[in-house]
Amino acid sequence: MKTNSATSGYGIAALALAAGWLVLCAPWLLGNYAIPYDAKAHFQAQVQFLANAIHTGQSPFWNPHIFAGSPQIADPQSLVISPAVLLALLDPSPSFQLVDGYTFGLLALGGFSILLLFRDRGWHPAGAIVAALAFAFGASAAWRVQHVGQIQSFACFALALWLLVRALDRRSARWGIAAGAAMALMIVEPDQVAYLGGLILIGYVLHHWLDGAERKQRLRASLRPLLAAGLTCVVLSALPLLMTILFVMSSSRSSIPFAEATRGSLHPASLLTLLFSDLYGAFDKAVEYWGPFSWTWNPNEVTLSQNMSQLYIGALPIALLLGLGLSRRLLLAREIRFYTIATVFITLYALGSNTPFFRLLYEVFPGVSLFRRPADATFLVGGLLAILSGYLVHRWMTNTALAAPDRPRLHLKVYLLLALTAAAIAVALSQNRLDVALRPMVISFAWLAVSVGVLLLVTRLGQQRSWVIVTTLATVLTVDLALNNGPNESTALPREQFTMLDPDTRSETIRLIKSLATQPPGSPRRDRVELAGLGFEWPNTAMVHGFDHTLGYNPLRLADFTRAVGAEDSIIGPNQRRFTPLFPSYRCRLANLLGLRYIVSPVPIDRIDRTVKSTDLRFMGRTPDGYVYENTEALPRVLFVYNWQIADFARIMRDGAWPAADPRYTVLLDQRPIVPPEPVPNAPEEWKAPTVRIVRYENTAIDIEVDASNPGFVVLNDIWHPWWFASIDGKPTRILKANVLFRAVAVGPGRHAIRFEFAPVAGALQELRAKLSAYRGSPPPTQ
């Protein structure tokens, strides 16, 4: 529905969006606050790891600093394949402000994409600015800004949607290529927002084909742009997605049971925050949060943090949705109908186990079972509602809304508002919180009144002053979002709380760890550290400062390592340290093999490990953050041993019972080596001591020199992974899985140079061939 008045004023709308973005982001960009939680504990560390790798001439594809090693290139939250690489290229030490600015830049990308989508549809710029601001700073886009990966997917969804619509409208292969590139950027590091965004884009294509007459003509006309988009997306994303899929299959989260997935369902009571912005006290510091998943509700349902239940996108959008959208059925108009259907679908998805709809999807629809927490869909709920509200502004401002509603429909609007108010009061009464609920309800009604009044006022100006209409609505909505979705304890904390993640930190603990872990050149040692529950921001500090941590913070870990060591997503408090049959204590064979030499704990070590004795670990002192202990029996990172022995790794993992063989002299293998060296007697006096040294240790390349008079094995106590390859004196050799988790290569007598090299492309393709061969029942290819 295109009119001349509707297509004018977009320059003003773009300026208004830029001004609104500056106002809403200023508290962070000026350095007053930092985006906390995952934005610092996880993503700040990811960006710094990228920067460290790039500026030291290394590859960022393997991460040696957490979980004894992890395939960073395949991690969907690593930011390795994302615009964040530009931050790492620009600055060897990206500041908190720079990384936060990148996050808000993604929101700007999403907002401007919505603006361009509206312009292409010929919709009024007043609707475009309302939709763009609500999209970028409403619901989870504002309240969950710490989830940088999902913010990236959300912004790229808006870009891909605009480009896809343009490609189909113009029947353009060139714009199809651009749309395919945006889709690839959205899904190349997949998360649930990207998954759902992809479903919405597929749904839009189906809607384009089926809605209205001349379906065959539209189908034929869409083939060139869709083929261009599809090929571009596949070429750019196929290999990274393959690596991620293979990583997930070998990870601790290869599938999510239904009960676990739905524990992250959005509670229906959370929908009330669409109308009442701070109903549950998530914003007000003077009010203890009392909404769904707080302690006042069922303690068995405590799975979502308070910011995950906030859906407010502004009073003006909600007033339009409750008014024009429902009372005049404008949301069923052909040009907006798809977005209405998509909103219903995504909202039902977000509600998860609260409706039977999600169970059907989980059982039938491919991909749903790979994700936990359906509430992640709230990003797209907010985004789609923003588009719908912007469209309603367009209909109002262009005088294309239907005639005044008849009395029953007007009553329906009033009844709905009363019903929502009654529901909010009922929820407050059920939790004995009516006294604190009334104030945000009154404030929300005031904002509704102001927003409706402003909308009616600017309508009187007529279409000749669209710049006044655009700037007025943008100003009102910006102030509304700044006051109701602005900095809060979920999205903004003082920068001083994250100094341990600063590469130049003065933290006594970090400095002590780095000094203790430093070894002279050529040493076979590369000690590991465990930070046993120092707080939420600590587990990934190793990625920032370059030491090796046995644990870390990441939802994905290699399954073998997780089962063996007891590694969870994170270790925030000392009570979260889980011991296993194979790792029953800090004084055990696996701890020694890992080279776990230093443990830092905020409490005495015997309060974490109840089996440890006072003489088992050497107490080295105390820093402001915790107690420091040394495991003096930790082994070097690289060993040379003469003997080998076949062992059942699955049984050892399950029972924790190791063979009697001493790991300093004998390596355990799960299969016979291709050319087994001759075993030598165990008597130490018959040995001639070999020498082994680490010449170079980088993220994806490790050089080792060995000199021994007898054949044997070089054992590298880094996690075994099929994408690592080895060579001896330049000739490829097989990497053996050793001592349950680690790597070994067989070497002959004499002096040799051994190289371990991480080759993810070759490794992923080889692993894929092996899985396909196993599926067909043929022998797998050898390394």
Side-chain angles (χ1 to χ4, degrees):
M1 187 172 297
K2 300 182 180 181
T3 65
N4 290 334
S5 60
T7 55
S8 63
Y10 267 87
I12 296 298
L15 290 174
L17 178 57
W21 181 87
L22 285 172
V23 169
L24 291 166
C25 299
W28 292 269
L29 299 181
L30 294 175
N32 298 330
Y33 299 104
I35 304 174
Y37 304 116
D38 283 22
K40 293 296 168 286
H42 186 69
F43 292 103
Q44 182 78 31
Q46 301 288 350
V47 174
Q48 185 60 58
F49 174 78
L50 265 174
N52 289 341
I54 291 172
H55 290 274
T56 57
Q58 299 187 60
S59 165
F61 291 170
W62 179 266
N63 183 352
H65 302 307
I66 57 172
F67 302 121
S70 182
Q72 191 81 346
I73 183 65
D75 185 347
Q77 295 188 354
S78 68
L79 303 181
V80 170
I81 308 176
S82 77
V85 173
L86 297 176
L87 302 183
L89 285 169
L90 290 172
D91 194 333
S93 298
S95 66
F96 297 162
Q97 283 174 280
L98 185 61
V99 177
D100 290 352
Y102 166 75
T103 305
F104 288 117
L106 291 171
L107 293 177
L109 172 65
F112 277 101
S113 296
I114 297 301
L115 207 69
L116 291 167
L117 174 67
F118 271 62
R119 186 178 185 277
D120 280 1
R121 307 315 293 162
W123 295 342
H124 198 284
I129 188 60
V130 169
L133 284 170
F135 185 96
F137 296 99
S140 288
W143 282 89
R144 298 180 63 185
V145 71
Q146 64 268 39
H147 294 278
V148 179
Q150 292 180 321
I151 291 289
Q152 180 174 288
S153 297
F154 183 60
C156 291
F157 161 73
L159 179 63
L161 176 63
W162 164 56
L163 292 170
L164 176 64
V165 173
R166 172 170 281 206
L168 291 174
D169 285 349
R170 302 188 179 189
R171 304 177 180 182
S172 168
R174 182 183 64 176
W175 286 106
I177 292 172
M183 294 174 197
L185 192 60
M186 179 182 73
I187 67 173
V188 74
E189 291 193 334
D191 52 42
Q192 193 160 207
V193 174
Y195 171 74
L196 294 173
L199 293 184
I200 292 172
L201 296 178
I202 293 171
Y204 184 86
V205 172
L206 296 175
H207 173 81
H208 177 79
W209 286 345
L210 300 176
D211 186 50
E214 301 180 346
R215 296 175 183 175
K216 291 183 179 179
Q217 293 88 330
R218 284 203 306 277
L219 176 60
R220 286 197 296 267
S222 67
L223 291 181
R224 285 185 68 243
L226 289 178
L227 184 61
L231 287 175
T232 302
C233 183
V234 168
V235 167
L236 294 178
S237 66
L239 186 58
L241 283 177
L242 170 64
M243 290 190 282
T244 296
I245 291 169
L246 292 173
F247 179 30
V248 169
M249 291 174 66
S250 64
S251 77
S252 55
R253 287 180 54 187
S254 56
S255 65
I256 306 295
F258 180 78
E260 180 183 347
T262 56
R263 279 175 60 81
S265 300
L266 185 72
H267 197 284
S270 298
L271 297 176
L272 292 170
T273 60
L274 278 167
L275 178 60
F276 305 112
S277 62
D278 195 30
L279 177 63
Y280 301 117
F283 193 88
D284 191 344
K285 292 182 179 180
V287 176
E288 183 178 8
Y289 178 74
W290 60 274
F293 310 108
S294 68
W295 67 272
T296 64
W297 294 62
N298 184 349
N300 295 324
E301 294 181 346
V302 180
T303 57
L304 296 181
S305 56
Q306 64 186 45
N307 64 314
M308 293 181 181
S309 297
Q310 299 300 119
L311 299 175
Y312 188 71
I313 61 172
L316 178 59
I318 294 303
L320 289 159
L321 290 168
L322 293 176
L324 291 182
L326 294 175
S327 67
R328 303 191 183 183
R329 298 184 181 178
L330 295 182
L331 296 183
L332 297 179
R334 180 182 176 186
E335 59 187 346
I336 200 65
R337 188 184 303 147
F338 166 75
Y339 298 98
T340 303
I341 296 170
T343 303
V344 173
F345 171 84
I346 295 297
T347 302
L348 289 173
Y349 186 100
L351 291 171
S353 60
N354 294 295
T355 77
F357 177 73
F358 186 80
R359 182 69 194 227
L360 178 65
L361 284 178
Y362 180 89
E363 298 292 348
V364 175
F365 216 79
V368 173
S369 62
L370 295 175
F371 299 99
R372 61 177 179 176
R373 204 168 54 208
D376 287 347
T378 52
F379 280 94
L380 294 162
V381 171
L384 290 168
L385 287 174
I387 293 173
L388 294 177
S389 64
Y391 171 76
L392 294 174
V393 173
H394 155 70
R395 293 294 296 267
W396 180 265
M397 299 310 304
T398 55
N399 296 318
T400 57
L402 301 180
D406 55 28
R407 187 176 301 273
R409 289 184 188 171
L410 182 59
H411 285 174
L412 175 64
K413 178 171 59 177
V414 174
Y415 291 154
L416 180 60
L417 191 60
L418 290 175
L420 292 173
T421 304
I425 293 174
V427 170
L429 287 172
S430 70
Q431 303 298 316
N432 297 315
R433 291 293 186 275
L434 184 60
D435 55 334
V436 295
L438 288 176
R439 181 174 181 272
M441 291 174 65
V442 170
I443 291 174
S444 294
F445 277 122
W447 271 108
L448 280 174
V450 169
S451 299
V452 171
V454 169
L455 183 63
L456 294 173
L457 178 63
V458 296
T459 304
R460 294 175 175 270
L461 297 176
Q463 299 304 315
Q464 302 304 316
R465 297 185 180 181
S466 61
W467 68 272
V468 176
I469 298 171
V470 169
T471 55
T472 302
L473 294 183
T475 300
V476 171
L477 187 54
T478 297
V479 174
D480 180 359
L481 293 172
L483 293 177
N484 293 299
N485 278 2
N488 58 78
E489 62 181 340
S490 295
T491 63
L493 292 176
R495 296 170 57 195
E496 292 73 21
Q497 292 189 208
F498 314 106
T499 55
M500 74 290 292
L501 293 163
D502 185 343
D504 298 320
T505 184
R506 296 182 180 180
S507 166
E508 183 180 329
T509 302
I510 295 294
R511 294 192 174 202
L512 176 61
I513 290 171
K514 292 173 71 173
S515 66
L516 291 173
T518 300
Q519 298 295 321
S523 171
R525 282 176 53 181
R526 185 178 167 96
D527 297 328
R528 285 193 170 95
V529 177
E530 182 165 311
L531 307 176
L534 298 185
F536 188 82
E537 292 80 16
W538 282 86
N540 280 353
T541 52
M543 296 172 62
V544 175
H545 301 288
F547 58 87
D548 293 350
H549 189 199
T550 52
L551 304 178
Y553 176 29
N554 201 314
L556 285 181
R557 293 93 55 209
L558 291 170
D560 282 353
F561 186 82
T562 299
R563 287 195 297 267
V565 180
E568 301 289 351
D569 285 15
S570 185
I571 178 166
I572 301 171
N575 61 319
Q576 293 179 314
R577 184 48 167 110
R578 181 173 67 88
F579 294 100
T580 68
L582 200 60
F583 197 108
S585 169
Y586 287 119
R587 285 300 298 269
C588 68
R589 181 180 294 195
L590 184 54
N592 295 340
L593 284 168
L594 282 165
L596 175 54
R597 185 168 293 272
Y598 303 106
I599 301 124
V600 184
S601 165
V603 296
I605 198 68
D606 57 3
R607 290 176 57 183
I608 301 177
D609 182 355
R610 302 293 183 180
T611 67
V612 75
K613 300 176 182 178
S614 59
T615 57
D616 287 342
L617 300 174
R618 192 179 93 176
F619 178 63
M620 301 188 66
R622 186 174 181 181
T623 72
D625 303 298
Y627 301 81
V628 182
Y629 299 89
E630 181 183 11
N631 171 23
T632 57
E633 295 187 5
L635 294 173
R637 182 66 58 91
V638 62
L639 300 164
F640 181 86
V641 301
Y642 289 113
N643 294 325
W644 62 275
Q645 180 178 327
I646 294 294
D648 184 346
F649 288 176
R651 184 191 59 78
I652 295 173
M653 180 94 73
R654 183 186 66 244
D655 300 336
W658 292 88
D662 190 326
R664 295 173 297 174
Y665 311 129
T666 301
V667 62
L668 302 179
L669 305 174
D670 61 350
Q671 53 185 294
R672 294 178 65 88
I674 295 175
V675 183
E678 292 290 333
V680 298
N682 285 330
E685 63 270 10
E686 299 182 22
W687 293 358
K688 180 179 179 181
T691 60
V692 61
R693 56 193 295 265
I694 299 175
V695 178
R696 180 177 69 154
Y697 193 105
E698 295 183 352
N699 295 339
T700 59
I702 303 168
D703 289 330
I704 297 168
E705 285 185 357
V706 61
D707 188 3
S709 58
N710 296 90
F713 295 85
V714 170
V715 180
L716 177 63
N717 288 320
D718 283 347
I719 193 76
W720 182 91
H721 192 275
W723 302 354
W724 279 91
F725 295 83
S727 62
I728 299 175
D729 301 327
K731 297 179 180 179
T733 190
R734 185 181 182 189
I735 298 179
L736 305 167
K737 194 170 186 179
N739 296 331
V740 181
L741 293 177
F742 307 107
R743 312 174 206 162
V745 294
V747 297
R751 175 173 291 182
H752 299 284
I754 297 102
R755 164 166 284 200
F756 290 88
E757 193 161 8
F758 185 66
V761 175
L765 294 176
Q766 178 174 281
E767 185 179 359
L768 178 63
R769 288 195 298 270
K771 290 184 181 298
L772 293 175
S773 296
Y775 178 77
R776 292 193 299 263
S778 55
T782 58
Q783 188 180 56

